[in-house]
């Protein structure tokens, strides 16, 4: 089990600071939701977490070891990253798209090895894709493709799973299913990080929250500690009311 630690992480784009001195820890056995308004720096934070963008200052460590020392080849075996608006440009089957999540150990040519099929079947089933496994990925709807990409991210059961807006474009049933699937990965001991706008799903399924605004860390901690009306109001610049019922907490925004 490996924690991901940010220490003094700063990132610039075209000389503009998009992340500023971020100190936080993403713990194993936890589903951490990264929240904040559009343009806050959430996607950049996830790119840095995945080792796809090096910080201009600061350090990122996985299990106490710098991502730079781990290197891209080994990191690819240990983490999976699902970006926003992932696309498939070739008419390969859904099954093959999901199998791409095993790329670090996947043969370059030929049929899928029999030893990998159970994991692929499990990921397809988890994302309600068994009936679509032979369909060309380019023929999928936006929601179907989003589910295929999530299946690709989880198929290798990585110790670090990073997903950017995993419920975007999904209908309510499949959005809840996706949240359950990420929750299950955390319960199995993995470190799971998701950027998400659906605060109700974050409240109901996450263990911890990292809230960022204008590239700075506004708060980090347990859901109950961070998801307060005062903090969410400051984060989104709107009035917020948190409701509680038998199913848990919910968020309502007011102009």
């Amino acid at each position: 089990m490996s924690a991901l630690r940010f220490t003094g992480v700063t990132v610039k784009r075209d000389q503009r600071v998009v992340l500023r001195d971020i100190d936080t820890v993403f713990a194993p056995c936890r589903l951490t939701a990264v929240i904040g308004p559009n343009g806050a720096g959430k996607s950049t934070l996830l790119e840095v977490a995945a080792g796809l963008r090096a910080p201009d200052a600061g350090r990122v460590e996985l299990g106490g070891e710098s991502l730079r020392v781990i290197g891209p080849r080994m990191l690819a075996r240990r983490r999976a990253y699902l970006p926003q608006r992932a696309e498939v440009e070739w008419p390969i089957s859904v099954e093959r798209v999901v199998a791409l999540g095993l790329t670090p150990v996947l043969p370059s040519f030929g049929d899928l090895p029999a030893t990998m099929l159970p994991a692929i079947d499990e990921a397809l089933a988890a994302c309600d894709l068994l009936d679509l496994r032979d369909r060309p990925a380019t023929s999928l709807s936006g929601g179907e493709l989003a589910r295929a990409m999530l299946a690709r991210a989880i198929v290798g059961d990585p110790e670090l799973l990073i997903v950017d807006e995993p419920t975007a474009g999904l209908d309510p049933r499949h959005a809840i299913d996706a949240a359950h699937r990420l929750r299950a990965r955390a319960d199995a001991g993995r470190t799971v990080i998701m950027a998400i706008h659906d605060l109700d799903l974050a409240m109901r399924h996450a263990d911890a929250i990292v809230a960022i605004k204008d590239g700075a860390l506004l708060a980090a901690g347990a859901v109950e500690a961070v998801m307060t009306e005062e903090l969410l109001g400051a984060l989104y610049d709107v009035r917020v009311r948190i409701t509680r019922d038998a199913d848990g907490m919910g968020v309502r925004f007011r102009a």
Side-chain angles (χ1 to χ4, degrees):
M1 297 186 291
S2 300
L4 184 74
R5 181 180 297 273
F6 278 47
T7 305
V9 169
T10 294
V11 176
K12 298 179 181 179
R13 291 180 187 265
D14 299 324
Q15 302 305 310
R16 181 174 64 89
V17 176
V18 293
L19 288 179
R20 182 182 302 105
D21 200 26
I22 302 293
D23 290 313
T24 194
V25 177
F26 299 95
C29 305
R30 294 290 185 270
L31 171 56
T32 301
V34 179
I35 65 171
N38 291 334
K42 300 186 299 297
S43 293
T44 300
L45 186 146
L46 265 59
E47 290 174 0
V48 173
L52 299 176
R53 175 180 290 273
D56 293 281
R59 182 178 177 89
V60 183
E61 297 175 332
L62 178 61
E65 190 174 18
S66 169
L67 295 191
R68 295 190 183 194
V69 173
I70 294 172
R73 184 181 297 275
M74 181 55 66
L75 189 59
R77 291 177 175 266
R78 298 177 62 183
R79 70 97 174 93
Y81 168 66
L82 175 60
Q84 288 190 58
R85 296 180 292 275
E87 297 180 353
V88 176
E89 297 181 355
W90 297 92
I92 59 176
S93 70
V94 170
E95 179 183 69
R96 195 75 193 194
V97 169
V98 175
L100 289 174
L102 300 169
T103 294
V105 293
L106 190 68
S108 300
F109 302 100
D111 295 333
L112 296 172
T115 56
M116 296 182 178
L117 294 179
I120 294 169
D121 287 342
E122 182 179 351
L124 288 167
C127 296
D128 195 22
L129 293 166
L130 286 174
D131 291 342
L132 302 177
R133 70 185 307 155
D134 296 321
R135 182 181 295 184
T138 49
S139 71
L140 299 179
S141 69
E144 290 167 342
L145 181 59
R147 283 153 47 203
M149 290 303 185
L150 179 59
R152 186 182 72 174
I154 67 176
V155 67
D157 191 22
E159 64 180 275
L160 173 62
L161 176 59
I162 302 167
V163 292
D164 196 349
E165 291 296 337
T167 61
L170 297 182
D171 59 51
R173 174 202 158 193
H174 287 108
I176 293 170
D177 285 347
H180 283 159
R181 182 55 48 183
L182 296 174
R183 170 76 263 157
R185 297 289 159 174
D187 291 340
R190 310 301 180 251
T191 303
V192 185
I193 306 168
M194 67 172 178
I196 191 167
H197 281 297
D198 190 325
L199 298 186
D200 285 342
L201 282 179
M203 278 186 160
R204 294 172 189 271
H205 297 283
D207 301 290
I209 302 291
V210 168
I212 59 175
K213 182 178 183 179
D214 298 327
L217 182 67
L218 191 62
V223 171
E224 296 80 5
V226 176
M227 296 288 246
T228 65
E229 292 178 353
E230 294 76 16
L231 189 137
L232 292 178
L235 183 64
Y236 292 104
D237 294 319
V238 294
R239 291 188 297 166
V240 176
R241 181 173 182 181
I242 294 178
T243 60
R244 291 171 173 82
D245 56 29
D247 295 326
M249 296 189 296
V251 180
R252 299 293 178 268
F253 292 102
R254 296 179 291 173

